Structures are given as C-alpha cells and as structure tokens.
Amino acid sequence: AQKVTQAQTEISVVEKEDVTLDCVYETRDTTYYLFWYKQPPSGELVFLIRRNSFDEQNEISGRYSWNFQKSTSSFNFTITASQVVDSAVYFCALIYRGSTLGRLYFGRGTQLTVWP
Amino acid sequence: EAQVTQNPRYLITVTGKKLTVTCSQNMNHEYMSWYRQDPGLGLRQIYYSMNVEVTDKGDVPEGYKVSRKEKRNFPLILESPSPNQTSLYFCASSLQGLLAASSYNEQFFGPGTRLTVL
C-alpha cells in the first residue's frame, strides 16, 4: 500500500499565482518525519523541509509554506507568488519509527510548471 | 566543499555484465542510502546503511548488492544487470539516521547516475 500519496501528477500555473501541492501520508506510528524535496530540470534533488510528527506548527520560509495537519494526515506545500524558477518535480516523503530505521518512502512526485 | 559524489554519471551496459556505481561523501555522515527513480514511480529506496558494516534492504533490493566497509563509501553493485534496472540512481547521506531528532539532519543527494542496460 502506498504510504505517501501525491495525487497531483502535474500542475501548471502562471507566474505570480499561488499553488499548493498536496501530500497525504499513511502510518499508524505516532513518531514519524515528513519531508519535501525539489528536483529542478537539471535533475539534482534538493532538500526543502523536514517536519516531525510532534510539531504541527506551520512553517514559512520566504515564498514557501507548509501546512501539517495530523487530523487529515496531510502535509501540503504552498508556493506563494510562483516564479518560473519554481518549475520542478516536488516529492513528499515519510519515515516512521515502526519501519526499519532507515527506510524512507517517497510519493510519486508532482511536476509543477510555472509559465511566464 | 561538502558533497556526495557518484561515478559514473552515465553508463550504458549490456545484460549480465557486472557493474559498480560508486558513492562517496566527505561529510563524515553515518547514514547513506541508494534510490532509483523511474517515471511515474518517484524514488524508491534500494538499500541503506546506518553505519559502517550495517546495511539493510529498502523497498526494491532485488538484483542489487551494497557494502559499507568505510564510512565515506557506499558502492552499489549490480552483479548481473538486466534491462529492468535501467533507471536514474541517486545516492544520499545524512549525519545520522533519518529518525534522528537533530535539526541539522538533512539528507544530501548525489548528482545521480543514469544507467541504461541493453
């Protein structure tokens, strides 16, 4: 069973629009971490954020913000005033304590295209 | 410069010819991991290592081997590659295992190795 679901395969927006990328996760563990990674067209993977299950406080970093809601098992990522440079594939990932200690589960990714 | 390096970056080979993709990190990280990325499937973990001589299977370990004899190196070995192992491979490392509470425990990825098995 898929542990991380990114239902949006592709999203296209026009520059300056706000966009939210959805991530729904599945675990019965109470201790877990959630991650977001960015993969620009150049192919490298860039770490964006890590959030633990005990910290539901939303986080903002510049134009990026993350909304963590345990009640809906979601960890959504919003880009405000999107820019062309935000075009990338974005991955959500999960690790939980009940899994073997190093196993990280990725979603299938959301391709975001920002048009000028 | 702190980094994870992989070699080769690109490789075309034939079925059955053993190959090794090297991964090295210069950050004294304990945790290292290998992933493969396939269209529509995202990244899937192949193997990971919590420290020297400690390795464990990820989601898709079949057809792969790893070793961790030194802290800095974590090679991925394909003993008898097959076309279904054609993929983009990433190595990654972090200071500690991914459940460690340290806020500095970011996972760094290598640049990727694009492997084609004919």
Side-chain angles (χ1 to χ4, degrees):
Chain A
Q2 202 169 353
K3 293 186 170 40
V4 178
T5 302
Q6 294 181 254
Q8 305 148 311
T9 307
E10 296 181 21
I11 301 176
S12 287
V13 299
V14 177
E15 216 170 13
K16 297 190 181 139
E17 284 185 13
D18 298 347
V19 58
T20 295
L21 309 181
D22 297 334
C23 173
V24 173
Y25 61 92
E26 176 191 330
T27 177
R28 293 178 184 170
D29 238 291
T30 56
T31 301
Y32 52 90
Y33 285 87
L34 294 158
F35 304 78
W36 276 96
Y37 292 89
K38 174 182 180 180
Q39 187 177 42
S42 50
E44 74 271 23
L45 281 155
V46 179
F47 167 85
L48 294 178
I49 191 171
R50 183 179 81 143
R51 174 52 53 87
N52 76 60
S53 54
F54 299 108
D55 181 5
E56 282 195 78
Q57 198 169 14
N58 290 333
E59 175 132 357
I60 298 174
S61 175
R63 296 184 297 107
Y64 294 171
S65 62
W66 290 269
N67 182 277
F68 177 31
Q69 293 204 340
K70 288 172 79 169
S71 59
T72 54
S73 296
S74 65
F75 187 43
N76 296 338
F77 173 32
T78 297
I79 302 174
T80 303
S82 60
Q83 300 176 1
V84 173
V85 293
D86 295 326
S87 296
V89 181
Y90 291 87
F91 293 99
C92 181
L94 162 75
I95 185 168
Y96 56 94
R97 189 168 289 282
S99 72
T100 44
L101 289 177
R103 193 175 290 195
L104 183 63
Y105 298 92
F106 279 85
R108 295 185 178 182
T110 297
Q111 169 72 61
L112 173 65
T113 303
V114 181
W115 297 99
Chain B
E1 182 191 350
Q3 59 183 349
V4 179
T5 56
Q6 295 179 227
N7 282 292
R9 294 288 313 280
Y10 303 90
L11 179 62
I12 300 174
T13 189
V14 295
T15 299
K17 186 177 180 182
K18 180 180 178 179
L19 67 91
T20 298
V21 184
T22 64
C23 173
S24 183
Q25 50 91 7
N26 61 0
M27 297 169 277
N28 201 36
H29 284 174
E30 291 183 354
Y31 177 92
M32 296 185 76
S33 184
W34 276 103
Y35 302 88
R36 61 177 288 174
Q37 183 178 5
D38 302 289
L41 297 178
L43 283 97
R44 293 177 293 169
Q45 194 174 37
I46 304 171
Y47 270 96
Y48 63 92
S49 170
M50 298 295 287
N51 213 326
V52 176
E53 302 291 2
V54 181
T55 64
D56 208 344
K57 297 176 181 178
D59 277 333
V60 288
E62 295 79 20
Y64 304 95
K65 285 174 58 177
V66 292
S67 69
R68 187 92 182 272
K69 294 186 172 56
E70 310 165 275
K71 204 170 189 179
R72 63 183 293 128
N73 296 323
F74 190 44
L76 180 69
I77 303 156
L78 285 73
E79 295 270 2
S80 183
S82 62
N84 64 12
Q85 292 178 299
T86 292
S87 187
L88 177 59
Y89 291 87
F90 288 99
C91 179
S93 73
S94 66
L95 186 61
Q96 299 170 300
L98 297 180
L99 282 167
S102 167
S103 59
Y104 299 103
N105 201 35
E106 174 184 337
Q107 184 168 213
F108 294 84
F109 282 82
T113 295
R114 188 165 292 281
L115 172 66
T116 301
V117 183
L118 302 174

